[in-house]
Amino acid sequence: MNPNLEAQNVTRVFGTGLLSKSRIVAVDGVSLIINEDKPTITAIAGESGSGKTTLARLLLGMIQPTSGAILFRGRNLVALDGKERMEFRRQVQAIFQDPYEAYNPVYKVDQVLTTPVRKFQLARSKEEASRRIEESLRLAGLRPEETLGRYPHQLSGGQRQRIMVARALLLNPRVILADEPVSMVDASLRATILESLVKLKRELGISLIYITHDLTTAYQVSQNIYVLYRGSTVEVGSVEKVIRDPKHPYTRLLVSSIPLPDPDIHWGGESEIESRAKAQNTSLKDAHGCKFAGRCPFVIAECRIAHPPLYRTDDDRAVACYLHKDNSDVTGREMAESLARD
């Protein structure tokens, strides 16, 4: 195995103010490995506040972990010298949620493409630069003659997001981190953008980390999935197993929230899990131990004492839930290594 990008038991804690001693644990002991020898699409899923975007910022080196480490080709990001950091920025690219925020409305969209070419010295002439930019636009599903020379407001949200894909491709990256890349795009365009991302993995051998709250698209495009709840990994493994047969009560809650395309099936209101929790008078407030204990209808005494470890229920799946304590426990790093190899 040849790890390209790796999170080693990373935790990120934020303080709430200068005078306040309260803390918010945004990411709590998450491990993840992207294997350079085996391109994959890995989904990071969870509701708002689960720590997905904080994890993305850690992986991109935008913020530093409180504990643990982010490694690029075996080197801690904080220890990289100038040349190594430039290589990291070239190899690990990002596509963010709101494509419009990436543009300066005063400039034409060409600027977001010519800037990386210039800064990373990707071309020796204007002709070569133009050729590379046009090739990357076509790879992203755009026609250069209909895209270049326009201002951001003259393009649709889908076109603006595809330009961000093209911008990432200019640098020939090995990893692209896509943070909710289709959440602000019309539903009719989501499938085409997601297909473009899958094509990058299939044809160019680029690994993707797909951050989303939408389990439907995660299932459609990913091979592996990490389900986060309040910063912790509650279930991790093959997306086929995790989505089709969820083991953790929180994952089951997320899956049950997906509306079914059947007019005869009522959808809405509380989920079955939330309803059962209230029926058992389970407190919805924070609890000691398992972070989900306050919302879980299956809570037992152990859940309120200590946070459960990951229990390996399958070769390619682990669950942080005492309901599965009959299985052997596994560390997050061991599970990450297993998924990176398989």
Side-chain angles (χ1 to χ4, degrees), residues 38-53:
K38 182 195 170 192
T40 57
I41 300 179
T42 301
I44 310 293
E47 61 191 356
S48 297
S50 61
K52 305 186 301 296
T53 296

Side-chain angles (χ1 to χ4, degrees), residues 5 29 32 61 89-90 107 124 183 236 243 286 289 302 322:
L5 184 63
L32 178 149
R89 290 176 176 172
R90 189 181 73 82
Y107 294 102
R124 286 174 284 186
S183 64
V236 55
I243 301 301
D286 291 347
E302 287 175 277
Y322 285 118

Side-chain angles (χ1 to χ4, degrees), residues 274-290:
E274 294 279 16
S275 299
R276 290 178 63 181
K278 289 187 176 181
Q280 295 184 20
N281 294 320
T282 303
S283 171
L284 296 180
K285 296 182 180 180
D286 291 347
H288 296 292
C290 177

Side-chain angles (χ1 to χ4, degrees), residues 78-217:
V78 299
L80 299 183
D81 59 27
K83 184 177 180 181
E84 290 171 327
R85 183 160 289 276
M86 284 292 286
E87 181 65 11
F88 166 74
R89 290 176 176 172
R90 189 181 73 82
Q91 293 280 355
V92 181
Q93 284 292 297
I95 301 170
F96 293 108
Q97 180 175 2
D98 185 357
Y100 199 77
E101 287 189 353
Y103 297 90
N104 186 331
V106 175
Y107 294 102
K108 295 179 180 179
V109 297
D110 306 40
Q111 192 229 13
V112 301
L113 299 169
T114 57
T115 298
V117 172
R118 183 179 68 256
K119 284 190 173 290
F120 287 89
Q121 301 178 354
L122 302 178
R124 286 174 284 186
S125 65
K126 288 185 177 181
E127 293 75 17
E128 184 181 354
S130 296
R131 188 180 71 254
R132 292 194 64 154
I133 288 171
E134 290 176 3
E135 287 175 354
S136 67
L137 287 170
R138 291 191 185 96
L139 282 171
L142 291 170
R143 296 178 179 177
E145 64 274 13
E146 296 178 359
T147 307
L148 298 173
R150 296 191 177 190
Y151 289 94
H153 71 271
Q154 294 177 309
L155 299 173
S156 69
Q159 288 173 312
R160 290 195 292 264
Q161 193 64 294
R162 284 172 179 268
I163 292 174
M164 290 296 100
V165 175
R167 181 185 183 278
L169 292 178
L170 271 173
L171 299 169
N172 294 322
R174 303 310 305 156
V175 181
I176 293 179
L177 197 152
D179 187 2
E180 302 273 12
V182 295
S183 64
M184 298 187 69
V185 176
D186 291 343
S188 59
L189 296 173
R190 290 179 185 176
T192 56
I193 293 177
L194 289 173
E195 176 56 33
S196 297
L197 295 177
V198 172
K199 185 178 179 180
L200 301 183
K201 178 256 180 182
R202 184 175 61 242
E203 298 185 5
L204 301 180
I206 298 173
S207 290
L208 284 101
I209 301 173
Y210 176 52
I211 294 177
T212 183
H213 65 275
D214 184 354
L215 293 186
T216 302
T217 58

